[in-house]
Structures are given as structure tokens and as C-alpha cells.
Amino acid sequence: MPPPPPPPDPDDDGTGQAPRGRQAAPELDVDRRTVRERLGQVDVPDRPPDADPVGWPLEALRYPFRRPIRVLGVAVAVWTLADLVSRGNLFLGLALKVPLAALLLRWQMRAALATSDGKDTPPPPFVASDVQPEALGATARVLGRLLLFLLPAAFTLLGRIMDSPSDPDLGGSVALLAGALAVAGLLFAPVALLGVAFGRRSWTWPWGALLPLARGLVPCIATVLGWGAAALAELLVARLAAAPFVGFALGSIALRIACLAWQLVAARGLGVLARRSGP
């Protein structure tokens, strides 16, 4: 015996279409951001990574001051405290400033990475990941490349000294050649910094760094001058050690604001160079 037919659907009007009351509901506009993104706990790129910042290059001068003042203020306060310590004990101050210089280099690397990702605000100056083995290894690789780039200048001077140890002639053409090699090595160092930060190994060698250096000569010069200004600031801090406490503190604060802001401006330029160079 065949099975009985199914009972008729009370909502079927015989047209083969769903009744008006049972039409499919329209799709809702669902916010697909994560909870952390909705709460503002995750940085979202301000614009596509391949686009230049609005107002570039003059906007780089405002870059260090875009976050709340406490971000730059924390870095300035830490460096000023190190200056105060060095005023009382030079050796202890030096023991503080050497790791601070390494952390400043990491800050530059993270600022360049953030700019390359399309972000228009600098990262915080100190994060826990900066002291992890991978980050310390990256910092060591940058410093190692710097020493490697300066070897030709050192060998030029060393060769002349070995030729005449008692009375080496380091003037004239020798000094000019050594100086030119040193300047070239220093200019390659910012490109090597980008190569380490972005995993571009070819940029960490002179033959691979030539094209990026030509494309971003101004940011590379700014980076070298920024570190030169940091070294000059140390000399000025040492000269201010005999000044009264208030004068020393105010002078240290002014120097640190200028130097740290310069470092971030240079990092902004390096990030734009990496952004233009593509993945």
C-alpha cells in the first residue's frame, strides 16, 4: 500500500512562492571587528600602507607629538633621570644610558614599522617585547652591520698607522678617504636597520642597500644626524654638570625633547621609505 500523501501546508497558496509574511529577512549589517578593536585596544591602520602620509614630508615634524604628551614625556623623563644620575656618578649614568640607547634604537625600528603599516601615531617608547631575545638579537644585528660598514674607514687609518708607527701621517688624502668611507658606512646603517626590522636581508649589505639609500637619502641623513645629535647631547650634558641643579634639569629636559623628537622624525622618514618600497 503506498504511503499516505503529506498533509497540505497551510501557508502554501499554490503560487510556489513563500507567503508575504514568510519572506526571507534582509541581511543585517554585522560589525565584524573584534571586541578589542571596538574598544580601541588594537591600532587600526589610518590609511592604506602604500599611500604617503597626508601632508608629507612636513607632517613628519608633527609626528612625535601626535600621541598624548605623556608618551614622549615618559621617554624624556627617563633620559633626564639618567642625566641626573650621571651628574652624581658618571659610571652609573653610563651603565643606565647604554641600555637606554639600545631601547631608543628599538623605538625607532617600531616607529618605522608602524609607519610602514599605515599608522600615523608613534608607538610607546618602552614595551616588554624590546627586551625579549628576538628583539635583542635584532638590535645586535643592526649594531654589527654598523661596525661592518665602518671597517673600510678603520682599515684605511690602520694601514697608514702600520706603515709608520712612530710618526703616522693621517692628514690630507688619507683623512679625506677615511672620512668619506665613514660617512658612506654611516649612511648605509639606517637602510640596514630597515632590513633587519622588515626581514629584508639584502638591505643589510652594501650592494643591496644602494637602491634604498638612493630612494631615501634624506631620511637616512636625518637618522645619522639624529644619532650624532644624541652624542652631542651627551657632551653638552657633561658640560652642564657644574651648573645649578635647576639649570641642569631644565637644560637636560630641553636637550632630550629635541633629540627624541628628532629620532622619531627620522624614523617616520624611514617608515615612508619602507612603505614606498613595497613588500
Side-chain angles (χ1 to χ4, degrees), residues 31-42 44:
D31 188 351
R32 299 184 181 277
R33 295 177 300 168
T34 65
V35 175
R36 293 187 62 194
E37 290 175 348
R38 291 197 295 269
L39 295 177
Q41 298 175 357
V42 176
V44 179

Side-chain angles (χ1 to χ4, degrees), residues 148-265:
L148 180 65
F149 294 153
L150 293 178
L151 280 180
F155 284 150
T156 301
L157 296 177
L158 184 61
R160 181 52 61 94
I161 293 174
M162 294 181 66
D163 288 342
S164 179
S166 59
D167 186 21
D169 181 13
L170 301 180
S173 60
V174 175
L176 185 62
L177 177 60
L181 291 174
V183 169
L186 290 173
L187 289 176
F188 280 128
V191 182
L193 183 149
L194 286 178
V196 172
F198 290 89
R200 301 176 182 178
R201 297 189 61 181
S202 62
W203 285 21
T204 62
W205 298 99
W207 49 85
L210 279 174
L211 183 57
L213 177 60
R215 288 177 175 174
L217 183 61
V218 173
C220 291
I221 292 176
T223 303
V224 173
L225 292 180
W227 282 100
L232 179 61
E234 293 301 324
L235 297 177
L236 294 176
V237 166
R239 294 291 298 272
L240 287 173
F245 178 82
V246 175
F248 176 84
L250 292 178
S252 173
I253 291 173
L255 284 173
R256 295 310 172 187
I257 291 176
C259 289
L260 294 174
W262 193 337
Q263 300 283 3
L264 287 178
V265 170

